[in-house]
Amino acid sequence: MASPIASVGGLATGLDTNSIISQLVEVERGMANPIKARGTAANNALLAYSLIRTDLLSVNAAARALSHATDWRAL
């Protein structure tokens, strides 16, 4: 029976160790949220740059196709 041992922590010192641990866990979770948000923002920026790069490569390919003199002579 491990549960009685877990709740005995504060009896020797008079501190509510369960409450302290719960509060520390909440602090840790709170610290992780901004880090996750920055990671999400970085991933979104990377995706946006990738989409822009793809579009620019398409424009570049179209410009190269138009730069050939034989294409213009057909018109």
Side-chain angles (χ1 to χ4, degrees), residues 56-73:
L56 288 174
L57 288 172
S58 296
V59 169
N60 187 13
R64 284 181 187 260
L66 289 174
S67 69
H68 297 225
T70 55
D71 292 341
W72 290 101
R73 286 186 199 151

Side-chain angles (χ1 to χ4, degrees), residues 1-18:
M1 299 193 120
S3 55
I5 294 172
S7 63
V8 172
L11 291 179
T13 62
L15 295 173
D16 184 4
T17 54
N18 290 334

